[in-house]
Amino acid sequence: MAFILAAAGSAVGLGNVWKFPYIAGEHGGGAFVLVYLACVAGIGLPVLAAEILLGRRGGGSPIHSFATLAAREGHSPRWSAIGWLGVLCAFLILSFYSVVAGWALSYLWYAVSGQIAAPGDGSLDVAEAMSGLFAGLLASPAALIAGHTLVMALTMAIVAKGIRGGLERALRWMVPGLFVLLIALVVYAAATTGTFLAAARFLFQPDFAALSWEAVLVALGHAFFTLSVGMTAMMAYGSFLSRDVPIARASVTIAGLDTLVALLAGLAIFPIVFAQGLEPGAGPGLIFVTLPISFAQIPGGAAVAVLFFLFLAIAALSSTMSILEPVVEYLEQRGGWTRRRATVLLGSAIWTLGLGCALAFNVGADFTLFGMNLFDAFDYLTSNIMLPLGGMLIALYAGHVLSRDALAEELGPLPAYVFRSFRFLLRYVAPIGIGVVLIYSLMF
Ligand code: PHE
């Protein structure tokens, strides 16, 4: 699959459209968004480029590449532990991500079957009806498990059998399609709600007094999550990258596109939040309640809803396959496992773990880990601890284990100051920055 398309497909997903708006809402907007943008540019982007170039240079599964490259540079092959951290992270992320991707599929069904509409009998207003629809989904173990199961089955089919060709064709029109649709939703929100400026102010006017260390950690963690870095997913894709693709430019394109989609999603959603008097910090249901309110009112909104949730589901699937891929590659390369067998085994294990995340919204709500339900615990642990930690180790590896010459050779011709700043970010800024944020936020 064309690298840029696959990598952009991995980066753009539920993280941009579902997660970014709701965590921005929970952490007060402006200052949080600014910190997130700074983390993407100053830490996420260099680590993204590092992962891609390590993947290409290593050429194997991430675990193997860490070991062989370290040995080649005269360092311990134990650096492959970063790959193991990535494997664990992939298990945990996919198990909750798949549940949310299942919501997108459920909403695709609601859209097709005409349930995203203003109630005809006038008994409820639209906002109440759409909140009720989401609450109904969360209350149904069967519906949540069905969505999760379908997502895992599709992901396994893509990873095992290479129906990737089909996914690539879908991505070719989905990425521009999602873009156009989000812009149309932003324009619609701007034209009809009268709260567009309030939303823009909420998202872009920073109030640093309201910013906690916890919010900084969430912003940093999300920078990793949204770019798919810190767990070696991009490394796995990098291993297929041909030598003539300039990595610096590819990384900037991927990060830029990813950020734009997130900001557009925020601008489409917050005007509705304010116009309807909803709570910006409403949590994971935010987009599933707000956007349907628009769809129910837009002329032809039913068709728009079908398209939107179809695009969201495809964006989610191109991310889920990138989470499973590095783990499958490892088992396949270790020998003895066919791709099919590795995919079925790992996919089923993740599916089982995901059942716990699905049930966390209803019958399993009382089961807690670190004071959170299983879904929130997996999300917190991966985004806010494991991905930053993985990112820190990858930065240290690319900056200190890999020699300067090897780094320069992979990046190709670049202006000297760009190369020097890139290496400086990897060697010092990213590891120290991540370390400080982790320590402060966990202590205070
Ligand atoms: N970047 C994806 C998203 O924003 C999620 C993801 C995380 C994918 C980690 C791969 C690895 O939806």
Side-chain angles (χ1 to χ4, degrees):
M1 192 189 283
F3 171 77
I4 286 278
L5 208 56
S10 170
V12 174
L14 297 168
N16 310 61
V17 182
W18 160 72
K19 197 170 176 192
F20 169 72
Y22 104 70
I23 56 176
E26 280 180 341
H27 294 94
F32 173 87
V33 175
L34 206 66
V35 175
Y36 152 77
L37 292 174
C39 290
V40 165
I43 298 178
L45 179 62
V47 177
L48 171 63
E51 271 202 33
I52 298 172
L53 74 86
L54 289 172
R56 183 167 77 181
R57 196 167 180 85
S61 84
I63 295 181
H64 284 94
S65 295
F66 279 121
T68 47
L69 289 177
R72 222 188 280 166
E73 304 274 359
H75 288 269
S76 162
R78 294 225 185 88
W79 278 100
S80 61
I82 309 175
W84 286 107
L85 180 67
V87 165
L88 185 61
C89 212
F91 263 76
L92 299 178
I93 292 183
L94 192 48
S95 67
F96 76 83
Y97 198 92
S98 163
V99 172
V100 183
W103 299 351
L105 288 182
S106 298
Y107 268 75
L108 179 58
W109 164 245
Y110 295 157
V112 170
S113 59
Q115 296 179 62
I116 298 184
D121 57 5
S123 56
L124 286 175
D125 73 5
V126 190
E128 282 173 65
M130 293 304 113
S131 300
L133 193 62
F134 187 67
L137 174 64
L138 289 194
S140 162
L144 294 180
I145 290 175
H148 164 58
T149 305
L150 194 55
V151 170
M152 284 310 298
L154 288 169
T155 305
M156 283 152 71
I158 296 166
V159 173
K161 298 212 302 214
I163 50 172
R164 283 168 203 233
L167 189 69
E168 180 177 0
R169 251 169 289 150
L171 279 177
R172 262 185 216 288
W173 52 263
M174 186 283 296
V175 175
L178 185 65
F179 230 78
V180 172
L181 211 56
L182 279 173
I183 291 173
L185 289 173
V186 173
V187 171
Y188 178 79
T192 59
T193 55
T195 45
F196 185 75
L197 279 181
R201 228 176 286 128
F202 178 76
L203 278 174
F204 298 116
Q205 202 174 68
D207 169 14
F208 286 102
L211 194 70
S212 62
W213 275 106
E214 165 77 13
V216 175
L217 179 67
V218 173
L220 173 72
H222 188 63
F224 284 105
F225 185 86
T226 193
L227 293 176
S228 307
V229 299
M231 57 144 279
T232 74
M234 287 297 186
M235 238 178 116
Y237 279 1
S239 68
F240 300 118
L241 184 61
S242 76
R243 294 224 60 86
D244 51 332
V245 175
I247 288 179
R249 194 179 318 147
S251 310
V252 171
T253 308
I254 296 163
L257 193 74
D258 187 74
T259 306
L260 212 54
V261 172
L263 295 180
L264 283 174
L267 285 175
I269 287 162
F270 281 105
I272 310 170
V273 171
F274 292 125
Q276 299 285 336
L278 301 169
E279 185 49 56
L286 193 66
I287 69 152
F288 291 98
V289 174
T290 49
L291 288 181
I293 295 176
S294 267
F295 297 146
Q297 294 169 330
I298 301 177
V304 181
V306 172
L307 271 184
F308 178 81
F309 287 112
L310 181 66
F311 289 166
L312 190 61
I314 295 172
L317 282 174
S318 60
S319 298
T320 56
M321 70 169 261
S322 76
I323 305 175
L324 190 54
E325 177 70 31
V327 196
V328 167
E329 259 179 37
Y330 172 68
L331 271 193
E332 201 184 17
Q333 213 176 50
R334 237 187 84 186
W337 289 76
T338 59
R339 172 161 275 263
R340 200 189 163 90
R341 206 162 142 223
T343 308
V344 170
L345 180 91
L346 295 166
S348 317
I350 293 169
W351 174 80
T352 311
L353 208 55
L355 291 179
C357 295
L359 298 180
F361 291 97
N362 39 66
V363 296
D366 292 337
F367 181 84
T368 56
L369 212 59
F370 316 114
M372 291 174 261
N373 70 37
L374 208 59
F375 179 96
D376 291 335
F378 282 10
D379 183 5
Y380 191 92
L381 199 64
T382 51
S383 301
N384 302 343
I385 314 273
M386 294 170 78
L387 291 181
L389 210 58
M392 177 198 243
L393 292 169
I394 291 167
L396 286 172
Y397 186 97
H400 297 276
V401 173
L402 204 66
S403 66
R404 189 179 197 285
D405 292 345
L407 198 67
E409 190 187 318
E410 282 304 322
L411 283 172
L414 279 180
Y417 75 94
V418 175
F419 179 74
R420 237 179 281 133
S421 344
F422 172 68
R423 190 148 184 266
F424 185 74
L425 287 173
L426 281 181
R427 282 167 75 92
Y428 305 109
V429 178
I432 295 174
I434 296 167
V436 167
V437 176
L438 275 175
I439 290 170
Y440 266 82
S441 57
L442 298 178
M443 278 181 15
F444 300 110

